[in-house]
Amino acid sequence: MTQTKKIIASFAITFLLAFGSATQAFSKTVKMAKANWDTGYFQAEVYKLGLEKLGYKVKKPQAIKPSVFYLAAASGDADLWVNGWEGTHQTYLKDKNVKGKVKAVGYVMKKGGLQGYLIDKKTADALNIKTVLDIKKHAKQFDANGDGKADMVACPPGWGCEKRITKQFAELGLGDFINPIKAEYSASMADALARYKNGKSILFYTWTPNWTVGAFKLGKDVVWIEVPMKDTKAVKVANATKSKINMGFGADDIRPFANAEFLKKNPEVRKFLEVASIPLADISAQNLKMNKGEKSERDVRRHAKEWVKANQSTFDSWITKAKK
């Protein structure tokens, strides 16, 4: 081989190695999203730490609403998130542009997503309110703006719960006497908390895990009330107006959802998502810290790192299993 050919061959090998490394680096990047409700930030950060431990570069998760995420994941603009509510988000998964292109994998929490309406216990006991329909006779009790209707903190547009609440209002005629507040949820709930502390009656939608059931003590400050929808059944629920009530919502599994092609190309990520999970109590405890003021991105990252350190053997087992 001539010296010139040796130089060309050497250059070609160097180029191919560099190209291969670049391709590998690109394939090890994860475009992760997170929910635009702050009670989902913590679990997203814990999973991000796990993906990074696996050797992936994880782009800063962008906070987006479900209606945006599932379309983004289907098109490949996002790879995954861990804030999927399997029942509530079915409407997005059935979209013709999403169906078959986005898959659920693993569980952050099985049946962790309890949803429903609550009112303050003092008012429930004094007025014998058992279901949301009982609010009709006492709407002014919950009226914060003087329009004669009860004000209820609901869900912002673009959330799956907003669609469900809209259906409930239509089928049960709730709009005749309740005004659903669809502004930014955390701010609206902060207003409700202030109203409660001033001795006023409150009505709101919430879910678990959520700081609301820490700021308001279930069974002491607030109680679940019935939402008698025909497509859901009465179940035993602690801290409710009755021992068994129809919540109006099913208990959702909170799960990671990811682009199907991405999962095929990244089996380690798929396996990691299959084995990782976080206890409901731990998420609720972190959410309460946020409600007390520790809510910056730096705070949430610190909470996630502290959780990993406190559960190091569990966290390490996720990584070990994902690499097998």
Side-chain angles (χ1 to χ4, degrees):
M1 182 182 291
T2 66
Q3 186 65 25
T4 300
K5 287 183 177 179
K6 286 182 180 179
I7 293 173
I8 293 173
S10 177
F11 175 79
I13 292 170
T14 301
F15 174 78
L16 287 171
L17 288 172
F19 179 78
S21 298
T23 302
Q24 184 179 20
F26 178 78
S27 69
K28 297 281 280 186
T29 298
V30 178
K31 295 172 290 187
M32 186 175 180
K34 65 181 180 182
N36 67 331
W37 51 91
D38 57 10
T39 56
Y41 292 176
F42 170 67
Q43 46 269 49
E45 195 63 36
V46 170
Y47 275 69
K48 178 175 179 288
L49 291 172
L51 291 168
E52 289 172 341
K53 187 69 174 179
L54 274 176
Y56 286 80
K57 179 181 179 181
V58 184
K59 293 185 177 181
K60 181 181 178 181
Q62 297 299 307
I64 56 178
K65 54 190 177 182
S67 58
V68 174
F69 167 74
Y70 291 100
L71 288 171
S75 67
D77 291 332
D79 293 325
L80 64 88
W81 79 352
V82 298
N83 301 118
W85 284 57
E86 189 164 39
T88 304
H89 293 174
Q90 280 301 312
T91 181
Y92 304 118
L93 293 165
K94 292 177 180 177
D95 185 289
K96 64 180 181 180
N97 297 309
V98 176
K99 192 173 183 179
K101 298 177 181 178
V102 180
K103 301 291 186 181
V105 54
Y107 296 84
V108 180
M109 290 179 293
K110 288 187 177 180
K111 302 300 180 185
L114 189 66
Q115 304 175 75
Y117 297 177
L118 296 107
I119 67 170
D120 62 286
K121 188 175 187 301
K122 181 180 177 181
T123 301
D125 291 344
L127 302 179
N128 195 34
I129 294 174
K130 302 294 185 183
T131 85
V132 69
L133 298 177
D134 293 334
I135 299 290
K136 186 173 185 179
K137 295 183 293 184
H138 310 287
K140 291 183 179 180
Q141 187 75 21
F142 302 88
D143 182 9
N145 60 12
D147 65 356
K149 291 185 177 183
D151 290 298
M152 184 187 86
V153 178
C155 289
W159 289 13
C161 51
E162 190 262 344
K163 289 180 174 289
R164 179 65 181 176
I165 291 172
T166 297
K167 181 179 180 180
Q168 292 168 352
F169 268 60
E171 291 189 12
L172 300 176
L174 302 182
D176 293 342
F177 55 94
I178 297 177
N179 171 40
I181 299 170
K182 299 183 180 182
E184 200 275 325
Y185 184 82
S186 291
S188 297
M189 281 306 306
D191 289 343
L193 181 59
R195 180 175 168 82
Y196 174 72
K197 287 181 176 179
N198 286 325
K200 304 294 185 180
S201 301
I202 54 169
L203 168 65
F204 61 95
Y205 159 87
T206 200
W207 67 94
T208 59
N210 195 311
W211 63 265
T212 57
V213 292
F216 297 101
K217 301 300 181 185
L218 283 169
K220 180 180 178 182
D221 298 321
V222 294
V223 287
W224 300 101
I225 61 173
E226 189 160 66
V227 185
M229 293 291 286
K230 293 180 179 179
D231 59 355
T232 48
K233 298 179 180 179
V235 293
K236 287 186 177 181
V237 179
N239 305 306
T241 52
K242 297 186 289 184
S243 60
K244 292 182 69 174
I245 67 169
N246 186 337
M247 301 286 286
F249 299 83
D252 279 9
D253 293 322
I254 298 178
R255 310 187 66 181
F257 282 79
N259 176 280
E261 288 300 314
F262 172 82
L263 291 174
K264 287 182 182 178
K265 294 177 181 178
N266 295 275
E268 281 190 353
V269 174
R270 178 184 56 77
K271 186 63 177 177
F272 168 75
L273 295 177
E274 287 175 351
V275 299
S277 64
I278 307 174
L280 172 60
D282 292 357
I283 296 176
S284 297
Q286 187 277 338
N287 288 174
L288 191 54
K289 288 181 181 179
M290 293 181 70
N291 177 248
K292 291 180 177 179
E294 298 179 31
K295 57 185 177 181
S296 69
E297 287 188 7
R298 180 178 296 180
D299 287 330
V300 176
R301 282 196 295 270
R302 174 172 54 80
H303 296 158
K305 289 178 180 179
E306 289 172 349
W307 186 89
V308 169
K309 186 176 181 179
N311 298 272
Q312 195 68 57
S313 60
T314 297
F315 181 82
D316 290 345
S317 74
W318 300 345
I319 308 305
T320 301
K321 290 175 183 176
K323 289 184 175 181
K324 284 185 177 179

